[in-house]
Amino acid sequence: MHVLVSGGAGYIGSFAVRELIRQGHLVTVIDDLSTGFLQAVDPKAELCVGNLLDGLFVQQVFQKRPIDQVMHFAARVSVPESIFQPLKYYENNLLGGIHLLRACQKFAVSKFVFSSTAAVYGVLGPTAPLNEFSTTLPTNPYGTSKLFFEKILLDAQKAWGLNTVILRYFNVAGASLDLQLGQRTANATHLIKVAAETAAGKRPEMEIFGTDYPTPDGSAVRDYIHVEDLVSAHLQALTFLEEHQNHKGMTEIFNCGYGRGHSVLEVVAMMEKVSQQKLKVHNKPRRVGDVSLVVADNQKIKMQFNWVPKLDDLATICKTAYLWEKKSQV
Ligand SMILES: NC(=O)c1ccc[n+]([C@@H]2O[C@H](COP(=O)([O-])OP(=O)(O)OC[C@H]3O[C@@H](n4cnc5c(N)ncnc54)[C@H](O)[C@@H]3O)[C@@H](O)[C@H]2O)c1
């Protein structure tokens, strides 16, 4: 199959590209390298450097290649930044995606996998795990931009029969076991990345936002998923769309998480354990838009895709993230 991967130079997209190639697919990447990295792209993929906001460029990429499926990772991804620069998020995450969809419509590409997020749920308080029917009520522009795009995909389904798998990721973390790929994101705000950078000496200290949440230790709880397990869900989504290619218009949403959470303090303790050192941490007030607990109900993806996570272990996630930071120069 020929798969177009937007954002294939980014953290998660680069893992997907590598796995697609491993499994024998042809891959074309669109990436403007704004937060992605040339060296993260598997050399067996064709990289088209350009911006999704340039609709003509996107059409030209499709025109020259027989694309079968699209995996759409490209986005602005920082929750805190989205609160201060909402228009940047709406413009990039909506208009960029629309240009991709226009090309899909024009070149009759009917299979689309979208990187969505648990941030679409918002969460109203300490609750049970979130399932795909939980209320969507984003608390920040990043989450809102992702939810809006989900709605656009539903409209595309109705209007011209697009078949879409929407994967709502929880907190993605970790590096590959061979340490060839990992998260290079500059100025990352993701907890495990920040803790790994601190452990590797790239940051002198780290901050803990909120120690008075209604959780057992007072710090916020999140569901951390290893990036390789997330990518395996994408490959299954690809097969699922292939198997359903005679459907004329279908949208399936799946949560991608392990179904249990770890607190910020547990993550810090685990990073200290795997790096065998004490991290310097500062307690800070809660951040605007943050919530106490976000954990996935992952029954649907387990049942429907028969998805079996292989790296569901906080120690493995923290250790690979730490070793990656030790190894990488960026
Ligand atoms: N990292 C997480 O924990 C997480 C959680 C939930 C959802 N997601 C989603 O996963 C996807 C990938 O996230 P990531 O963490 O790999 O981020 P990332 O910033 O590493 O990757 C995004 C990639 O998209 C590219 N890009 C962005 N806008 C573009 C544009 N207009 N044109 C061309 N290329 C563009 C960037 O250069 C980058 O390579 C995003 O859609 C994000 O919303 C990530």
Side-chain angles (χ1 to χ4, degrees), residues 7 9-13 30-36 50-53 73-77 92 115-117 142 146 169-172 185 190:
Y11 171 42
I12 305 167
I30 291 184
D31 202 299
D32 66 355
L33 304 179
S34 51
T35 59
N51 195 326
L52 289 180
L53 294 177
F73 294 93
R76 296 275 161 263
V77 304
N92 198 73
S115 305
S116 192
T117 166
Y142 165 68
K146 289 286 178 172
Y169 314 165
F170 283 62
N171 292 63
V172 189
T185 320
H190 309 83

PDB file of all heavy atoms in Angstrom, residues 7 9-13 30-36 50-53 73-77 92 115-117 142 146 169-172 185 190, ligand 1:
ATOM      1  N   GLY A   7       3.207  14.811   8.866  1.00  0.00           N
ATOM      2  CA  GLY A   7       3.867  14.888  10.174  1.00  0.00           C
ATOM      3  C   GLY A   7       4.789  13.707  10.438  1.00  0.00           C
ATOM      4  O   GLY A   7       5.081  13.388  11.597  1.00  0.00           O
ATOM      5  N   ALA A   9       7.879  13.474  10.156  1.00  0.00           N
ATOM      6  CA  ALA A   9       9.188  13.813  10.729  1.00  0.00           C
ATOM      7  C   ALA A   9       9.064  14.112  12.222  1.00  0.00           C
ATOM      8  O   ALA A   9      10.054  14.408  12.886  1.00  0.00           O
ATOM      9  CB  ALA A   9       9.783  15.025  10.004  1.00  0.00           C
ATOM     10  N   GLY A  10       7.843  14.045  12.718  1.00  0.00           N
ATOM     11  CA  GLY A  10       7.611  14.330  14.142  1.00  0.00           C
ATOM     12  C   GLY A  10       7.804  13.087  14.997  1.00  0.00           C
ATOM     13  O   GLY A  10       8.152  12.011  14.504  1.00  0.00           O
ATOM     14  N   TYR A  11       7.560  13.248  16.255  1.00  0.00           N
ATOM     15  CA  TYR A  11       7.803  12.172  17.224  1.00  0.00           C
ATOM     16  C   TYR A  11       7.028  10.896  16.850  1.00  0.00           C
ATOM     17  O   TYR A  11       7.614   9.864  16.476  1.00  0.00           O
ATOM     18  CB  TYR A  11       7.415  12.686  18.610  1.00  0.00           C
ATOM     19  CG  TYR A  11       7.383  11.665  19.718  1.00  0.00           C
ATOM     20  CD1 TYR A  11       8.376  10.681  19.833  1.00  0.00           C
ATOM     21  CD2 TYR A  11       6.378  11.693  20.682  1.00  0.00           C
ATOM     22  CE1 TYR A  11       8.355   9.760  20.869  1.00  0.00           C
ATOM     23  CE2 TYR A  11       6.348  10.789  21.721  1.00  0.00           C
ATOM     24  CZ  TYR A  11       7.327   9.812  21.814  1.00  0.00           C
ATOM     25  OH  TYR A  11       7.304   8.898  22.833  1.00  0.00           O
ATOM     26  N   ILE A  12       5.718  10.962  16.881  1.00  0.00           N
ATOM     27  CA  ILE A  12       4.929   9.740  16.679  1.00  0.00           C
ATOM     28  C   ILE A  12       4.929   9.340  15.201  1.00  0.00           C
ATOM     29  O   ILE A  12       5.071   8.159  14.860  1.00  0.00           O
ATOM     30  CB  ILE A  12       3.485   9.938  17.205  1.00  0.00           C
ATOM     31  CG1 ILE A  12       3.532  10.383  18.676  1.00  0.00           C
ATOM     32  CG2 ILE A  12       2.679   8.654  17.057  1.00  0.00           C
ATOM     33  CD1 ILE A  12       2.222  10.907  19.216  1.00  0.00           C
ATOM     34  N   GLY A  13       4.816  10.346  14.326  1.00  0.00           N
ATOM     35  CA  GLY A  13       4.804  10.059  12.891  1.00  0.00           C
ATOM     36  C   GLY A  13       6.050   9.313  12.432  1.00  0.00           C
ATOM     37  O   GLY A  13       5.970   8.419  11.583  1.00  0.00           O
ATOM     38  N   ILE A  30       4.633  14.114   4.228  1.00  0.00           N
ATOM     39  CA  ILE A  30       4.560  15.578   4.106  1.00  0.00           C
ATOM     40  C   ILE A  30       4.894  16.146   5.473  1.00  0.00           C
ATOM     41  O   ILE A  30       4.255  15.781   6.482  1.00  0.00           O
ATOM     42  CB  ILE A  30       3.150  16.064   3.693  1.00  0.00           C
ATOM     43  CG1 ILE A  30       2.830  15.656   2.260  1.00  0.00           C
ATOM     44  CG2 ILE A  30       3.047  17.584   3.851  1.00  0.00           C
ATOM     45  CD1 ILE A  30       1.482  16.195   1.754  1.00  0.00           C
ATOM     46  N   ASP A  31       5.884  17.011   5.513  1.00  0.00           N
ATOM     47  CA  ASP A  31       6.241  17.647   6.776  1.00  0.00           C
ATOM     48  C   ASP A  31       6.954  18.957   6.477  1.00  0.00           C
ATOM     49  O   ASP A  31       7.785  19.007   5.562  1.00  0.00           O
ATOM     50  CB  ASP A  31       7.140  16.717   7.615  1.00  0.00           C
ATOM     51  CG  ASP A  31       7.096  17.072   9.090  1.00  0.00           C
ATOM     52  OD1 ASP A  31       7.472  18.207   9.432  1.00  0.00           O
ATOM     53  OD2 ASP A  31       6.682  16.216   9.898  1.00  0.00           O
ATOM     54  N   ASP A  32       6.631  19.996   7.221  1.00  0.00           N
ATOM     55  CA  ASP A  32       7.323  21.280   7.003  1.00  0.00           C
ATOM     56  C   ASP A  32       8.514  21.440   7.944  1.00  0.00           C
ATOM     57  O   ASP A  32       9.156  22.488   7.953  1.00  0.00           O
ATOM     58  CB  ASP A  32       6.349  22.455   7.151  1.00  0.00           C
ATOM     59  CG  ASP A  32       5.827  22.602   8.570  1.00  0.00           C
ATOM     60  OD1 ASP A  32       6.142  21.743   9.426  1.00  0.00           O
ATOM     61  OD2 ASP A  32       5.108  23.590   8.838  1.00  0.00           O
ATOM     62  N   LEU A  33       8.786  20.407   8.727  1.00  0.00           N
ATOM     63  CA  LEU A  33       9.923  20.378   9.658  1.00  0.00           C
ATOM     64  C   LEU A  33       9.849  21.516  10.686  1.00  0.00           C
ATOM     65  O   LEU A  33      10.872  21.945  11.215  1.00  0.00           O
ATOM     66  CB  LEU A  33      11.259  20.415   8.897  1.00  0.00           C
ATOM     67  CG  LEU A  33      11.444  19.299   7.849  1.00  0.00           C
ATOM     68  CD1 LEU A  33      12.782  19.451   7.132  1.00  0.00           C
ATOM     69  CD2 LEU A  33      11.358  17.925   8.489  1.00  0.00           C
ATOM     70  N   SER A  34       8.631  21.998  10.949  1.00  0.00           N
ATOM     71  CA  SER A  34       8.496  23.080  11.933  1.00  0.00           C
ATOM     72  C   SER A  34       8.800  22.575  13.338  1.00  0.00           C
ATOM     73  O   SER A  34       9.482  23.240  14.112  1.00  0.00           O
ATOM     74  CB  SER A  34       7.096  23.704  11.867  1.00  0.00           C
ATOM     75  OG  SER A  34       6.111  22.697  11.940  1.00  0.00           O
ATOM     76  N   THR A  35       8.291  21.397  13.663  1.00  0.00           N
ATOM     77  CA  THR A  35       8.663  20.778  14.952  1.00  0.00           C
ATOM     78  C   THR A  35       9.227  19.377  14.725  1.00  0.00           C
ATOM     79  O   THR A  35       9.537  18.676  15.677  1.00  0.00           O
ATOM     80  CB  THR A  35       7.454  20.692  15.914  1.00  0.00           C
ATOM     81  OG1 THR A  35       6.421  19.919  15.295  1.00  0.00           O
ATOM     82  CG2 THR A  35       6.926  22.057  16.282  1.00  0.00           C
ATOM     83  N   GLY A  36       9.335  19.002  13.458  1.00  0.00           N
ATOM     84  CA  GLY A  36       9.876  17.683  13.123  1.00  0.00           C
ATOM     85  C   GLY A  36      11.328  17.783  12.693  1.00  0.00           C
ATOM     86  O   GLY A  36      11.879  18.883  12.566  1.00  0.00           O
ATOM     87  N   GLY A  50       7.115  20.568   3.024  1.00  0.00           N
ATOM     88  CA  GLY A  50       6.171  21.631   2.696  1.00  0.00           C
ATOM     89  C   GLY A  50       5.099  21.720   3.759  1.00  0.00           C
ATOM     90  O   GLY A  50       5.000  20.857   4.634  1.00  0.00           O
ATOM     91  N   ASN A  51       4.318  22.787   3.628  1.00  0.00           N
ATOM     92  CA  ASN A  51       3.335  23.097   4.659  1.00  0.00           C
ATOM     93  C   ASN A  51       1.926  22.696   4.200  1.00  0.00           C
ATOM     94  O   ASN A  51       1.515  23.036   3.088  1.00  0.00           O
ATOM     95  CB  ASN A  51       3.391  24.612   4.930  1.00  0.00           C
ATOM     96  CG  ASN A  51       2.698  24.988   6.204  1.00  0.00           C
ATOM     97  OD1 ASN A  51       1.698  24.380   6.585  1.00  0.00           O
ATOM     98  ND2 ASN A  51       3.231  25.993   6.872  1.00  0.00           N
ATOM     99  N   LEU A  52       1.200  22.019   5.065  1.00  0.00           N
ATOM    100  CA  LEU A  52      -0.184  21.639   4.737  1.00  0.00           C
ATOM    101  C   LEU A  52      -1.066  22.871   4.522  1.00  0.00           C
ATOM    102  O   LEU A  52      -2.135  22.769   3.922  1.00  0.00           O
ATOM    103  CB  LEU A  52      -0.793  20.797   5.862  1.00  0.00           C
ATOM    104  CG  LEU A  52      -0.273  19.373   6.059  1.00  0.00           C
ATOM    105  CD1 LEU A  52      -1.000  18.710   7.223  1.00  0.00           C
ATOM    106  CD2 LEU A  52      -0.446  18.530   4.802  1.00  0.00           C
ATOM    107  N   LEU A  53      -0.634  23.997   5.031  1.00  0.00           N
ATOM    108  CA  LEU A  53      -1.431  25.212   4.830  1.00  0.00           C
ATOM    109  C   LEU A  53      -1.354  25.678   3.375  1.00  0.00           C
ATOM    110  O   LEU A  53      -2.140  26.530   2.960  1.00  0.00           O
ATOM    111  CB  LEU A  53      -0.955  26.327   5.775  1.00  0.00           C
ATOM    112  CG  LEU A  53      -1.202  26.035   7.263  1.00  0.00           C
ATOM    113  CD1 LEU A  53      -0.634  27.141   8.139  1.00  0.00           C
ATOM    114  CD2 LEU A  53      -2.692  25.847   7.539  1.00  0.00           C
ATOM    115  N   PHE A  73      -0.847  12.959  11.066  1.00  0.00           N
ATOM    116  CA  PHE A  73      -0.269  13.287  12.370  1.00  0.00           C
ATOM    117  C   PHE A  73       0.009  14.779  12.524  1.00  0.00           C
ATOM    118  O   PHE A  73       0.068  15.272  13.650  1.00  0.00           O
ATOM    119  CB  PHE A  73       1.086  12.564  12.543  1.00  0.00           C
ATOM    120  CG  PHE A  73       1.009  11.074  12.620  1.00  0.00           C
ATOM    121  CD1 PHE A  73       1.139  10.290  11.484  1.00  0.00           C
ATOM    122  CD2 PHE A  73       0.822  10.441  13.839  1.00  0.00           C
ATOM    123  CE1 PHE A  73       1.080   8.906  11.555  1.00  0.00           C
ATOM    124  CE2 PHE A  73       0.762   9.050  13.922  1.00  0.00           C
ATOM    125  CZ  PHE A  73       0.894   8.289  12.774  1.00  0.00           C
ATOM    126  N   ALA A  74       0.251  15.473  11.399  1.00  0.00           N
ATOM    127  CA  ALA A  74       0.754  16.849  11.489  1.00  0.00           C
ATOM    128  C   ALA A  74      -0.198  17.742  12.271  1.00  0.00           C
ATOM    129  O   ALA A  74      -1.394  17.780  11.988  1.00  0.00           O
ATOM    130  CB  ALA A  74       0.947  17.411  10.080  1.00  0.00           C
ATOM    131  N   ALA A  75       0.347  18.448  13.234  1.00  0.00           N
ATOM    132  CA  ALA A  75      -0.467  19.366  14.041  1.00  0.00           C
ATOM    133  C   ALA A  75       0.458  20.184  14.926  1.00  0.00           C
ATOM    134  O   ALA A  75       1.625  19.842  15.110  1.00  0.00           O
ATOM    135  CB  ALA A  75      -1.447  18.586  14.911  1.00  0.00           C
ATOM    136  N   ARG A  76      -0.091  21.258  15.442  1.00  0.00           N
ATOM    137  CA  ARG A  76       0.539  21.928  16.586  1.00  0.00           C
ATOM    138  C   ARG A  76       0.031  21.185  17.805  1.00  0.00           C
ATOM    139  O   ARG A  76      -1.176  20.911  17.899  1.00  0.00           O
ATOM    140  CB  ARG A  76       0.136  23.395  16.656  1.00  0.00           C
ATOM    141  CG  ARG A  76       0.606  24.202  15.476  1.00  0.00           C
ATOM    142  CD  ARG A  76       2.035  24.703  15.645  1.00  0.00           C
ATOM    143  NE  ARG A  76       2.595  25.072  14.351  1.00  0.00           N
ATOM    144  CZ  ARG A  76       3.369  24.283  13.601  1.00  0.00           C
ATOM    145  NH1 ARG A  76       3.715  23.085  14.017  1.00  0.00           N
ATOM    146  NH2 ARG A  76       3.826  24.675  12.446  1.00  0.00           N
ATOM    147  N   VAL A  77       0.922  20.889  18.778  1.00  0.00           N
ATOM    148  CA  VAL A  77       0.540  19.904  19.792  1.00  0.00           C
ATOM    149  C   VAL A  77       0.693  20.345  21.259  1.00  0.00           C
ATOM    150  O   VAL A  77       0.475  19.533  22.143  1.00  0.00           O
ATOM    151  CB  VAL A  77       1.325  18.584  19.605  1.00  0.00           C
ATOM    152  CG1 VAL A  77       1.131  18.041  18.198  1.00  0.00           C
ATOM    153  CG2 VAL A  77       2.810  18.756  19.876  1.00  0.00           C
ATOM    154  N   ASN A  92      -3.637  25.962  11.933  1.00  0.00           N
ATOM    155  CA  ASN A  92      -2.823  24.811  11.506  1.00  0.00           C
ATOM    156  C   ASN A  92      -3.619  23.504  11.558  1.00  0.00           C
ATOM    157  O   ASN A  92      -3.633  22.730  10.605  1.00  0.00           O
ATOM    158  CB  ASN A  92      -1.581  24.711  12.399  1.00  0.00           C
ATOM    159  CG  ASN A  92      -0.516  23.852  11.756  1.00  0.00           C
ATOM    160  OD1 ASN A  92       0.129  24.260  10.809  1.00  0.00           O
ATOM    161  ND2 ASN A  92      -0.365  22.637  12.239  1.00  0.00           N
ATOM    162  N   SER A 115      -4.931  11.366  13.978  1.00  0.00           N
ATOM    163  CA  SER A 115      -4.373  11.429  15.331  1.00  0.00           C
ATOM    164  C   SER A 115      -5.185  12.402  16.166  1.00  0.00           C
ATOM    165  O   SER A 115      -4.973  13.610  16.098  1.00  0.00           O
ATOM    166  CB  SER A 115      -2.949  11.980  15.293  1.00  0.00           C
ATOM    167  OG  SER A 115      -2.126  11.250  14.442  1.00  0.00           O
ATOM    168  N   SER A 116      -6.098  11.877  16.953  1.00  0.00           N
ATOM    169  CA  SER A 116      -6.816  12.769  17.868  1.00  0.00           C
ATOM    170  C   SER A 116      -6.259  12.568  19.278  1.00  0.00           C
ATOM    171  O   SER A 116      -5.175  11.981  19.450  1.00  0.00           O
ATOM    172  CB  SER A 116      -8.322  12.516  17.796  1.00  0.00           C
ATOM    173  OG  SER A 116      -9.001  13.566  18.464  1.00  0.00           O
ATOM    174  N   THR A 117      -6.949  13.041  20.257  1.00  0.00           N
ATOM    175  CA  THR A 117      -6.352  13.130  21.585  1.00  0.00           C
ATOM    176  C   THR A 117      -7.399  13.022  22.689  1.00  0.00           C
ATOM    177  O   THR A 117      -8.559  13.398  22.490  1.00  0.00           O
ATOM    178  CB  THR A 117      -5.631  14.488  21.719  1.00  0.00           C
ATOM    179  OG1 THR A 117      -5.331  14.718  23.100  1.00  0.00           O
ATOM    180  CG2 THR A 117      -6.485  15.642  21.248  1.00  0.00           C
ATOM    181  N   TYR A 142      -6.212  23.567  21.892  1.00  0.00           N
ATOM    182  CA  TYR A 142      -5.650  22.377  21.228  1.00  0.00           C
ATOM    183  C   TYR A 142      -6.713  21.290  21.135  1.00  0.00           C
ATOM    184  O   TYR A 142      -6.992  20.755  20.045  1.00  0.00           O
ATOM    185  CB  TYR A 142      -4.421  21.888  22.004  1.00  0.00           C
ATOM    186  CG  TYR A 142      -3.983  20.493  21.620  1.00  0.00           C
ATOM    187  CD1 TYR A 142      -3.439  20.230  20.363  1.00  0.00           C
ATOM    188  CD2 TYR A 142      -4.117  19.429  22.523  1.00  0.00           C
ATOM    189  CE1 TYR A 142      -3.050  18.947  20.015  1.00  0.00           C
ATOM    190  CE2 TYR A 142      -3.731  18.143  22.177  1.00  0.00           C
ATOM    191  CZ  TYR A 142      -3.198  17.906  20.916  1.00  0.00           C
ATOM    192  OH  TYR A 142      -2.823  16.632  20.574  1.00  0.00           O
ATOM    193  N   LYS A 146      -8.836  19.728  17.762  1.00  0.00           N
ATOM    194  CA  LYS A 146      -8.885  18.305  17.410  1.00  0.00           C
ATOM    195  C   LYS A 146     -10.339  17.814  17.319  1.00  0.00           C
ATOM    196  O   LYS A 146     -10.689  17.024  16.447  1.00  0.00           O
ATOM    197  CB  LYS A 146      -8.105  17.493  18.450  1.00  0.00           C
ATOM    198  CG  LYS A 146      -6.613  17.688  18.371  1.00  0.00           C
ATOM    199  CD  LYS A 146      -6.065  16.960  17.149  1.00  0.00           C
ATOM    200  CE  LYS A 146      -4.591  17.138  16.954  1.00  0.00           C
ATOM    201  NZ  LYS A 146      -4.061  16.294  15.892  1.00  0.00           N
ATOM    202  N   TYR A 169      -5.409   9.494  21.274  1.00  0.00           N
ATOM    203  CA  TYR A 169      -4.268   9.079  22.079  1.00  0.00           C
ATOM    204  C   TYR A 169      -4.377   9.671  23.481  1.00  0.00           C
ATOM    205  O   TYR A 169      -4.731  10.833  23.637  1.00  0.00           O
ATOM    206  CB  TYR A 169      -2.931   9.586  21.546  1.00  0.00           C
ATOM    207  CG  TYR A 169      -2.628   9.474  20.086  1.00  0.00           C
ATOM    208  CD1 TYR A 169      -1.573  10.213  19.564  1.00  0.00           C
ATOM    209  CD2 TYR A 169      -3.338   8.639  19.227  1.00  0.00           C
ATOM    210  CE1 TYR A 169      -1.223  10.132  18.234  1.00  0.00           C
ATOM    211  CE2 TYR A 169      -2.987   8.556  17.888  1.00  0.00           C
ATOM    212  CZ  TYR A 169      -1.950   9.320  17.397  1.00  0.00           C
ATOM    213  OH  TYR A 169      -1.605   9.254  16.078  1.00  0.00           O
ATOM    214  N   PHE A 170      -3.909   8.890  24.446  1.00  0.00           N
ATOM    215  CA  PHE A 170      -3.720   9.449  25.781  1.00  0.00           C
ATOM    216  C   PHE A 170      -2.262   9.951  25.825  1.00  0.00           C
ATOM    217  O   PHE A 170      -1.807  10.500  24.833  1.00  0.00           O
ATOM    218  CB  PHE A 170      -4.169   8.431  26.838  1.00  0.00           C
ATOM    219  CG  PHE A 170      -5.699   8.417  26.923  1.00  0.00           C
ATOM    220  CD1 PHE A 170      -6.461   8.056  25.815  1.00  0.00           C
ATOM    221  CD2 PHE A 170      -6.361   8.855  28.052  1.00  0.00           C
ATOM    222  CE1 PHE A 170      -7.862   8.122  25.832  1.00  0.00           C
ATOM    223  CE2 PHE A 170      -7.758   8.915  28.090  1.00  0.00           C
ATOM    224  CZ  PHE A 170      -8.499   8.551  26.976  1.00  0.00           C
ATOM    225  N   ASN A 171      -1.522   9.805  26.895  1.00  0.00           N
ATOM    226  CA  ASN A 171      -0.201  10.456  26.935  1.00  0.00           C
ATOM    227  C   ASN A 171       0.878   9.548  26.341  1.00  0.00           C
ATOM    228  O   ASN A 171       1.211   8.531  26.939  1.00  0.00           O
ATOM    229  CB  ASN A 171       0.151  10.864  28.363  1.00  0.00           C
ATOM    230  CG  ASN A 171      -0.748  11.984  28.841  1.00  0.00           C
ATOM    231  OD1 ASN A 171      -1.952  11.813  28.952  1.00  0.00           O
ATOM    232  ND2 ASN A 171      -0.178  13.142  29.074  1.00  0.00           N
ATOM    233  N   VAL A 172       1.394   9.968  25.212  1.00  0.00           N
ATOM    234  CA  VAL A 172       2.341   9.136  24.473  1.00  0.00           C
ATOM    235  C   VAL A 172       3.761   9.427  24.969  1.00  0.00           C
ATOM    236  O   VAL A 172       4.127  10.585  25.154  1.00  0.00           O
ATOM    237  CB  VAL A 172       2.243   9.433  22.965  1.00  0.00           C
ATOM    238  CG1 VAL A 172       3.049   8.422  22.172  1.00  0.00           C
ATOM    239  CG2 VAL A 172       0.784   9.455  22.519  1.00  0.00           C
ATOM    240  N   THR A 185      11.281  16.635  20.337  1.00  0.00           N
ATOM    241  CA  THR A 185      10.551  17.894  20.492  1.00  0.00           C
ATOM    242  C   THR A 185      11.317  18.923  21.329  1.00  0.00           C
ATOM    243  O   THR A 185      11.690  18.645  22.473  1.00  0.00           O
ATOM    244  CB  THR A 185       9.208  17.625  21.215  1.00  0.00           C
ATOM    245  OG1 THR A 185       8.666  16.405  20.722  1.00  0.00           O
ATOM    246  CG2 THR A 185       8.236  18.771  21.049  1.00  0.00           C
ATOM    247  N   HIS A 190       5.693  17.679  27.748  1.00  0.00           N
ATOM    248  CA  HIS A 190       5.233  16.338  28.143  1.00  0.00           C
ATOM    249  C   HIS A 190       6.028  15.874  29.363  1.00  0.00           C
ATOM    250  O   HIS A 190       7.268  15.896  29.353  1.00  0.00           O
ATOM    251  CB  HIS A 190       5.456  15.348  27.009  1.00  0.00           C
ATOM    252  CG  HIS A 190       4.909  15.800  25.678  1.00  0.00           C
ATOM    253  ND1 HIS A 190       5.588  16.644  24.849  1.00  0.00           N
ATOM    254  CD2 HIS A 190       3.751  15.490  25.060  1.00  0.00           C
ATOM    255  CE1 HIS A 190       4.860  16.858  23.752  1.00  0.00           C
ATOM    256  NE2 HIS A 190       3.741  16.171  23.858  1.00  0.00           N
TER     257      HIS A 190
HETATM  258  N1  LIG B   1       2.537  13.404  21.894  1.00  0.00           N
HETATM  259  C1  LIG B   1       1.399  13.110  22.510  1.00  0.00           C
HETATM  260  O1  LIG B   1       1.394  12.734  23.703  1.00  0.00           O
HETATM  261  C2  LIG B   1       0.090  13.204  21.770  1.00  0.00           C
HETATM  262  C3  LIG B   1      -1.088  12.929  22.475  1.00  0.00           C
HETATM  263  C4  LIG B   1      -2.297  12.998  21.800  1.00  0.00           C
HETATM  264  C5  LIG B   1      -2.321  13.289  20.445  1.00  0.00           C
HETATM  265  N2  LIG B   1      -1.173  13.563  19.784  1.00  0.00           N
HETATM  266  C6  LIG B   1      -1.266  13.893  18.352  1.00  0.00           C
HETATM  267  O2  LIG B   1      -0.302  13.141  17.640  1.00  0.00           O
HETATM  268  C7  LIG B   1       0.137  13.859  16.499  1.00  0.00           C
HETATM  269  C8  LIG B   1       1.646  13.860  16.453  1.00  0.00           C
HETATM  270  O3  LIG B   1       2.140  14.485  17.633  1.00  0.00           O
HETATM  271  P1  LIG B   1       3.697  14.501  17.995  1.00  0.00           P
HETATM  272  O4  LIG B   1       3.791  14.434  19.467  1.00  0.00           O
HETATM  273  O5  LIG B   1       4.405  13.511  17.177  1.00  0.00           O
HETATM  274  O6  LIG B   1       4.080  15.990  17.567  1.00  0.00           O
HETATM  275  P2  LIG B   1       5.320  16.527  16.723  1.00  0.00           P
HETATM  276  O7  LIG B   1       5.304  18.010  16.870  1.00  0.00           O
HETATM  277  O8  LIG B   1       6.559  15.803  17.074  1.00  0.00           O
HETATM  278  O9  LIG B   1       4.944  16.124  15.230  1.00  0.00           O
HETATM  279  C9  LIG B   1       4.117  16.904  14.407  1.00  0.00           C
HETATM  280  C10 LIG B   1       4.760  16.951  13.039  1.00  0.00           C
HETATM  281  O10 LIG B   1       3.899  17.639  12.153  1.00  0.00           O
HETATM  282  C11 LIG B   1       4.657  18.606  11.415  1.00  0.00           C
HETATM  283  N3  LIG B   1       3.729  19.692  11.065  1.00  0.00           N
HETATM  284  C12 LIG B   1       2.993  20.433  11.928  1.00  0.00           C
HETATM  285  N4  LIG B   1       2.230  21.302  11.233  1.00  0.00           N
HETATM  286  C13 LIG B   1       2.495  21.094   9.913  1.00  0.00           C
HETATM  287  C14 LIG B   1       2.025  21.682   8.712  1.00  0.00           C
HETATM  288  N5  LIG B   1       1.136  22.673   8.720  1.00  0.00           N
HETATM  289  N6  LIG B   1       2.496  21.217   7.542  1.00  0.00           N
HETATM  290  C15 LIG B   1       3.405  20.211   7.506  1.00  0.00           C
HETATM  291  N7  LIG B   1       3.887  19.619   8.617  1.00  0.00           N
HETATM  292  C16 LIG B   1       3.438  20.061   9.801  1.00  0.00           C
HETATM  293  C17 LIG B   1       5.787  19.013  12.333  1.00  0.00           C
HETATM  294  O11 LIG B   1       6.915  19.550  11.662  1.00  0.00           O
HETATM  295  C18 LIG B   1       6.089  17.691  13.031  1.00  0.00           C
HETATM  296  O12 LIG B   1       7.041  16.946  12.319  1.00  0.00           O
HETATM  297  C19 LIG B   1      -0.494  15.242  16.595  1.00  0.00           C
HETATM  298  O13 LIG B   1      -1.602  15.302  15.741  1.00  0.00           O
HETATM  299  C20 LIG B   1      -0.937  15.327  18.044  1.00  0.00           C
HETATM  300  O14 LIG B   1      -2.065  16.165  18.189  1.00  0.00           O
HETATM  301  C21 LIG B   1       0.040  13.533  20.411  1.00  0.00           C
END
